[in-house]
Amino acid sequence: MFDKNNFYECEKKLTIDNLTECENKLGIQLPSSLKQLYLTCNGGLVYKSVYKVGEAAYIVEILNFIPIKYNQAFKNDPKFVIEGIALQHWNEDKLPKFLLPFARSYQNGFLCINIDTGAIYQYLRSVWDTTLSKEQNFEKNSIYLSESLEYFLGCLTADEEDNDYAIEYEDIKPRKSNQFYHSEKSIDTSDIAEIESVLKIKIPEQLKAFLLKQNGGMPENNTWIDPQGEYDYVTIHELVPIKYYATLNDNKAYLMDHIAQQFWNRELLSKQLLPFANDAGGNYFCINFNNGKIYYCTFDTWSDNLSVSDNQSKSTLFLCNSFNEFMSKLICDKDLEDF
């Protein structure tokens, strides 16, 4: 058994027919333990995400569980579900065909189940030694974790160090003033309609209402604290303007539509994500314009050894369910100095 309350942000519930369809496409029999898990929780995130091997000599931290079917954030693109990921890596000889990936880890690896024995392994994808054979690389990159999925799930714990951060930050509240600095000239509904036409999207209403009041600039409340303690915090450097950029003579390359098109065309960002702010390191805060959810997207972890879909998924971190929630929970980075 496993704790279904440990899971959140799961995809649409699966049926037995969905599992059978997956088995037929992959040409395998899914282990019964995996079937039981996915009939209850189809992918998603977990509150307790850390697995410790032995006396914590080796620690694995889960990024997310991969859905078998459905992926709302990526319009159910098969490249972002177990079926597509497994077939791609098996066909490209990047993963042993007896290992089925069901989750991603922060260590740039898959968590896999051995479809013959039910044992759980971490498979390191970015480590490949050209002096070794394929089979030798498979063996070297496969790290045994547990004898069963049930044991693995039962041993997941929260990261104690990160939880300490979360508890400390609870006392920091957003500043009521929340001033904006270096804002650009105001825009109107016709400017928003123009960018929607150019990008062929509809900007979510909450972001649209905000943009009509605030076009670019730097917010006083600029820092997002992870409520689950999975990471420290991320800080906004500036909001991306829709129109006008006085600092660089209104250079269009720094406007929202051009930034979005650049990332979409280079496949650095899913085409369902619209960047609306950046940090000082060139990473972006984005909104999924289909469901309004907010994500933090990093571009400094891209790996040539991974597929486009894997890189996009690995670099996309869920923050919260709406733009208004995101803005209301930002705090001022200066208030972190005492912690």
Side-chain angles (χ1 to χ4, degrees):
M1 298 294 292
F2 65 93
D3 181 10
K4 66 180 181 181
N5 294 322
N6 189 36
F7 286 77
Y8 65 102
E9 292 295 324
C10 298
E11 298 293 336
K12 183 178 175 182
K13 194 173 179 64
L14 298 177
T15 65
I16 291 292
D17 289 341
N18 295 144
L19 299 184
T20 301
E21 180 184 0
C22 178
E23 289 178 322
N24 291 337
K25 289 183 177 179
L26 293 177
I28 64 170
Q29 288 291 316
L30 295 173
S32 59
S33 59
L34 195 69
K35 288 183 180 182
Q36 181 183 3
L37 170 63
Y38 275 83
L39 285 173
T40 305
C41 302
N42 179 28
L45 307 175
V46 285
Y47 296 110
K48 297 178 181 178
S49 60
V50 173
Y51 182 82
K52 298 179 180 179
V53 181
E55 296 298 324
Y58 186 75
I59 295 177
V60 177
E61 185 170 6
I62 298 171
L63 174 62
N64 68 307
F65 281 76
I66 305 167
I68 278 185
K69 187 175 184 178
Y70 310 118
N71 193 322
Q72 187 179 8
F74 296 98
K75 287 191 170 181
N76 300 327
D77 188 329
K79 293 185 296 185
F80 293 90
V81 297
I82 283 180
E83 171 195 318
I85 292 171
L87 286 176
Q88 176 187 348
H89 286 79
W90 289 347
N91 292 337
E92 295 178 357
D93 282 335
K94 292 182 177 179
L95 186 70
K97 292 186 177 180
F98 57 83
L99 291 183
L100 179 68
F102 64 86
R104 296 180 178 87
S105 71
Y106 278 101
Q107 292 94 333
N108 198 19
F110 283 132
L111 296 177
C112 301
I113 189 168
N114 185 311
I115 57 178
D116 298 320
T117 68
I120 305 301
Y121 291 80
Q122 182 186 33
Y123 186 81
L124 302 176
R125 295 180 287 166
S126 60
V127 181
W128 195 267
D129 189 338
T130 56
T131 65
L132 301 178
S133 67
K134 178 180 69 176
E135 289 73 19
Q136 289 172 323
N137 270 291
F138 283 166
E139 182 178 0
K140 179 173 67 71
N141 294 341
S142 300
I143 302 172
Y144 175 83
L145 298 181
S146 75
E147 62 181 11
S148 69
L149 181 61
E150 294 93 333
Y151 183 84
F152 175 79
L153 295 173
C155 291
L156 292 178
T157 63
D159 189 315
E160 296 175 0
E161 180 178 350
D162 284 344
N163 283 341
D164 288 342
Y165 277 121
I167 292 170
E168 289 176 344
Y169 291 146
E170 285 179 357
D171 294 331
I172 306 176
K173 304 300 180 184
R175 292 189 178 184
K176 292 183 179 180
S177 54
N178 195 24
Q179 301 179 52
F180 288 82
Y181 307 97
H182 309 299
S183 302
E184 302 298 332
K185 290 192 295 183
S186 298
I187 60 170
D188 57 30
T189 54
S190 65
D191 296 315
I192 291 181
E194 181 179 351
I195 188 177
E196 289 180 323
S197 176
V198 169
L199 297 179
K200 297 180 174 58
I201 67 170
K202 286 293 183 182
I203 295 177
E205 290 301 319
Q206 292 182 5
L207 176 58
K208 188 182 298 186
F210 176 82
L211 292 171
L212 290 171
K213 297 178 181 178
Q214 186 64 44
N215 180 35
M218 300 180 183
E220 182 180 15
N221 290 332
N222 60 357
T223 300
W224 175 268
I225 302 295
D226 173 35
Q228 305 303 333
E230 294 179 10
Y231 56 91
D232 201 345
Y233 56 83
V234 287
T235 299
I236 294 174
H237 173 62
E238 64 178 353
L239 299 165
V240 178
I242 276 193
K243 191 175 183 180
Y244 311 119
Y245 196 83
T247 304
L248 293 173
N249 299 317
D250 294 337
N251 189 327
K252 293 183 177 181
Y254 294 89
L255 303 181
M256 187 178 290
D257 58 338
H258 285 260
I259 292 171
Q261 287 176 323
Q262 175 190 13
F263 288 140
W264 293 348
N265 291 339
R266 294 172 60 192
E267 297 186 309
L268 293 175
L269 198 64
S270 164
K271 292 185 178 180
Q272 283 76 53
L273 296 180
L274 178 68
F276 64 84
N278 60 35
D279 68 8
N283 303 306
Y284 278 80
F285 298 84
C286 300
I287 188 168
N288 183 313
F289 51 77
N290 292 315
N291 58 29
K293 295 182 179 181
I294 306 301
Y295 295 84
Y296 177 63
C297 301
T298 61
F299 302 116
D300 53 1
T301 59
W302 198 270
S303 172
D304 292 337
N305 295 315
L306 302 180
S307 66
V308 169
S309 61
D310 281 340
N311 269 302
Q312 288 180 356
S313 181
K314 179 170 69 73
S315 63
T316 303
L317 181 67
F318 172 79
L319 298 186
C320 63
N321 286 312
S322 72
F323 182 78
N324 285 352
E325 179 187 358
F326 175 74
M327 294 301 298
S328 69
K329 292 181 178 179
L330 292 174
I331 64 172
C332 180
D333 61 340
K334 292 184 174 62
D335 294 334
L336 294 172
E337 294 175 358
D338 295 332
F339 288 85

